[in-house]
Amino acid sequence: MRELRVLAMGGGTVLGGAALYYSTILPDTLRLGLCGGFGVGMVGAQWLRPPWLRHVARGGMAAMLLGWYMTDPPRNDRVWAQEYTIPADAWRTANVVHVAHVRNFRYRSENDLIPAWYDASYDLNGLESVDLVTSYWAGESIAHVFLSFGFADGQHLAISIETRRQARFAYSAIAGFFHHYELFFVTADERDLIGVRTDIRRERVYLYRLDLSPAVREHLFLSYVGAIHDIVHHPLWYNTLTDNCTTGILARAGAKLRYRLDWRVILSGHTAAMAYDMNLLGPYDRARYPDFAALHAASHILRLPGAQIGPDYSAAIRAGLPVPEGSGAP
């Protein structure tokens, strides 16, 4: 029993210290001081006498930390990294969705870019496709996952659920487990959101067609539209476990709870395999693609040397990819 108490106290001290360290408290000296003070206080309470006093001290510090954490509000008025400075807004008028500030950055290199945004309108009656995009930058277990909506007039709108990073912080995967990033919908032209990954960062990017009925496609798109509009006025915290790029898609797609709790939600490099198991991809010719491994290999976007991100980028990246049965062109 004593070992369990020590383990619980140690775990709580580490988590509490991390919550303070990765918080958005200003100035940084206060943030770091509170982090160090919490750890010293929790450990130093061991020498308090009588024993009940140490429990009261630790319980009081833990309660104050929890109270702060539960009431720590997300905000939209921080100094953001450049790619997160201007959020999109979206609203519906009859059967047309209007999106303000569609991001369309042009990249000379990963760190040399020309910021640009435009406004656009999308006809719901022309919503023809939803594509699942997965982008890998290291191994096979972790990928960034997002959707791109295609319309009959040739427009594509890519929407990615991401961390909204402040300019003063470098990116940290660990920070995403705490109140460090606000949640952000990158609502962008494919030449930006996919192009920076295929042509600039040279990540391994895969694109799959989701097998959704017209009604489900529209519901999914409008759920994003509503969330994009709401977050402009009511910011939310990003959380790697509960509200991230993958859970946001699954929740809006109405996935069953067992899939939303699937280990592949955290190891997001396997999200497309999970979608395959859920019969959400395609339908593709099973003779040509008898299993997910074959489909995955064929769904890799390959860019030729010297290829440019031009007006035909959306068509170019789909050339040669598997064509869902009955869909004509991808």
Side-chain angles (χ1 to χ4, degrees), residues 3-4 32 70 72 91 157 179 249 261-262 271 274 282 284 297 299:
E3 289 77 9
L4 288 177
L32 297 174
M70 295 299 292
D72 181 30
W91 62 95
L157 183 66
H179 286 181
I249 294 173
L261 298 177
D262 195 293
T271 297
M274 182 172 67
Y284 294 106
S299 299

Side-chain angles (χ1 to χ4, degrees), residues 44-314:
Q46 178 66 31
W47 284 273
L48 292 176
R49 295 292 184 273
W52 63 264
L53 188 57
R54 78 177 66 130
H55 300 314
V56 170
R58 285 172 175 161
M61 286 186 288
M64 286 189 290
L65 177 66
L66 183 62
W68 160 77
Y69 193 80
M70 295 299 292
T71 56
D72 181 30
R75 294 166 50 181
N76 279 333
D77 59 348
R78 307 187 195 276
V79 179
W80 306 109
Q82 188 174 37
E83 60 266 41
Y84 305 117
T85 53
I86 300 179
D89 197 358
W91 62 95
R92 177 181 180 179
T93 303
N95 283 324
V96 177
V97 168
H98 308 279
V99 182
H101 307 137
V102 177
R103 203 182 75 183
N104 190 28
F105 286 12
R106 287 170 287 166
Y107 299 86
R108 290 183 286 252
S109 69
E110 187 172 352
N111 298 311
D112 183 10
L113 54 88
I114 302 172
W117 292 264
Y118 62 81
D119 298 344
S121 296
Y122 304 89
D123 185 355
L124 287 174
N125 295 324
L127 178 56
E128 290 188 335
S129 65
V130 184
D131 293 322
L132 177 71
V133 183
T134 60
S135 184
Y136 301 77
W137 60 90
E140 296 297 322
S141 293
I142 300 297
H144 185 56
V145 183
F146 57 94
L147 300 181
S148 185
F149 296 86
F151 295 83
D153 60 3
Q155 291 187 101
H156 289 84
L157 183 66
I159 306 177
S160 170
I161 302 171
E162 299 187 12
T163 61
R164 193 176 193 185
R165 182 173 59 82
Q166 295 183 59
R168 67 191 180 106
F169 290 124
Y171 178 77
S172 166
I174 297 175
F177 290 93
F178 303 96
H179 286 181
H180 185 79
Y181 302 115
E182 275 78 5
L183 189 144
F184 192 74
F185 289 89
V186 176
T187 307
D189 194 294
E190 285 190 337
R191 290 171 291 182
D192 175 343
L193 195 57
I194 302 178
V196 70
R197 291 170 166 82
T198 59
D199 288 42
I200 306 302
R201 299 177 188 164
R202 298 295 178 180
E203 297 176 3
R204 289 172 292 116
V205 184
Y206 298 78
L207 186 146
Y208 313 85
R209 177 64 47 82
L210 289 180
D211 183 18
L212 305 175
S213 70
V216 173
R217 282 199 299 264
E218 180 174 311
H219 173 79
L220 181 60
F221 182 59
L222 290 177
S223 72
Y224 272 94
V225 168
I228 290 167
H229 180 72
D230 288 346
I231 208 167
V232 172
H233 307 285
H234 305 287
L236 299 171
W237 289 115
Y238 177 95
N239 187 277
T240 299
L241 285 176
T242 61
D243 205 348
N244 57 45
C245 65
T246 309
T247 60
I249 294 173
L250 292 172
R252 288 175 177 83
K256 295 179 180 178
L257 181 61
R258 68 187 179 94
Y259 286 111
R260 292 170 66 180
L261 298 177
D262 195 293
W263 60 270
R264 291 170 290 189
V265 171
I266 300 300
L267 297 181
S268 51
H270 302 281
T271 297
M274 182 172 67
Y276 183 87
D277 291 344
M278 296 168 66
N279 295 316
L280 285 177
L281 302 185
Y284 294 106
D285 182 352
R286 287 302 179 100
R288 296 185 63 186
Y289 314 108
D291 53 26
F292 177 73
L295 177 62
H296 177 66
S299 299
H300 186 192
I301 296 174
L302 297 175
R303 297 287 281 162
L304 297 175
Q308 300 294 314
I309 301 176
D312 64 342
Y313 177 79
S314 291

